[in-house]
Amino acid sequence: MKLRKFSEIEALAGAHHGGARGVKAELAAHGDSASIDQGDDRFLAGMTRAIFSSGFSWEVVEQKWPGFEKAFARFNPKRVAFYAEDDVARLLKNPAIIRNGAKIQSTIANARFVVETAKQHGSFSAFLKQWPTADQIGLMEHLKKHASRLGGATAMYFLRFNGWDAFILSQDVTRALIREGVIDKPATSKSALRAVQAAFNAWTKESRRPQREVSRILALSVG
């Protein structure tokens, strides 16, 4: 399939958002909130934030976040990895956090995942840095298989907001990809996700923009 030139998609985004200057302002307004050069505790915190926010109000999670930090020992993965049944019972009684048992258990499982990954690569940051952005789908498959509740959109948001150059298949990005003929419906199958990755690889190469900017411009091009 022949893709439209990304410069034309940028022009579409500009038509909706005040030209190239408006697009630049939109990109700046949606900058990423964390550096990939952070400690393992922050990656565990990022996983937990993404998981608890999935299917729930981001605002409530943000309001309760100081309680999460205290309840989970500032997300020290080596401490949380050893949480046992009595710790889960304690957390389920803690009104300072969102008391979802399955998601509490996922934080403990992910602490073990972070510890094991850091043991193999030196740090979780080092693990993410060595994974090529041209294979985001492969990284998402790895997280889905080895971490807990880090599949699909949850994985994309975790990666994007923790310093890895990720695209996000939001509703607007999906609409743009359908418009461009990359997919014909929301991408859930392996073949559709591979087609999405191939399109992003082509557009990042052509535009010399990171994936996160290509993703955002696609969204802006919808309206």
Side-chain angles (χ1 to χ4, degrees):
M1 182 193 68
K2 185 176 181 180
L3 292 172
R4 188 204 301 247
K5 289 184 178 180
F6 197 71
S7 57
E8 296 177 10
I9 296 174
E10 288 188 49
L12 277 177
H16 291 297
H17 297 277
R21 183 175 295 180
V23 170
K24 184 176 181 180
E26 288 284 346
L27 293 176
H30 292 81
D32 300 324
S33 59
S35 167
I36 200 169
D37 293 309
Q38 58 183 351
D40 291 344
D41 60 317
R42 293 302 90 197
F43 285 111
L44 179 58
M47 292 176 188
T48 303
R49 192 189 295 263
I51 289 166
F52 273 87
S53 297
S54 178
F56 202 74
S57 166
W58 282 80
E59 290 82 1
V60 174
V61 175
E62 289 301 312
Q63 289 169 7
K64 286 184 171 285
W65 196 249
F68 276 88
E69 289 280 351
K70 185 176 181 180
F72 286 98
R74 304 297 175 190
F75 292 100
N76 181 326
K78 291 182 179 179
R79 288 187 61 183
V80 178
F82 283 98
Y83 277 13
E85 290 184 7
D86 57 337
D87 294 294
V88 174
R90 167 180 59 81
L91 291 165
L92 285 171
K93 295 176 182 177
N94 187 346
I97 68 170
I98 297 165
R99 290 171 285 183
N100 181 306
K103 292 185 177 185
I104 288 170
Q105 291 280 11
S106 76
T107 298
I108 299 168
N110 285 332
R112 294 165 184 163
F113 168 61
V114 169
V115 169
E116 185 60 31
T117 302
K119 188 183 299 182
Q120 295 175 12
H121 296 273
S123 67
F124 201 83
S125 174
F127 161 71
L128 288 180
K129 285 180 178 179
Q130 60 83 40
W131 202 290
T133 56
D135 185 29
Q136 176 172 327
I137 301 305
L139 178 53
M140 289 168 58
E141 289 176 353
H142 180 88
L143 293 175
K144 183 178 181 179
K145 180 178 180 180
H146 297 285
S148 176
R149 302 178 77 97
L150 270 183
T154 306
M156 294 183 216
Y157 279 100
F158 160 67
L159 292 169
R160 167 75 68 83
F161 292 105
N162 285 275
W164 200 84
D165 182 27
F167 57 77
I168 294 177
L169 297 181
S170 65
Q171 287 186 351
D172 282 346
V173 171
T174 296
R175 287 173 62 191
L177 291 170
I178 292 172
R179 181 196 67 212
E180 298 304 319
V182 175
I183 50 178
D184 58 7
K185 61 183 178 179
T188 54
S189 69
K190 288 185 177 181
S191 60
L193 289 169
R194 284 196 296 269
V196 168
Q197 183 72 75
F200 270 93
N201 290 349
W203 284 327
T204 55
K205 183 178 180 180
E206 177 202 333
S207 67
R208 299 185 180 181
R209 289 184 179 274
Q211 285 196 136
R212 63 183 180 276
E213 290 189 2
V214 170
S215 178
R216 182 62 186 149
I217 290 169
L218 282 168
L220 294 172
S221 74
V222 170

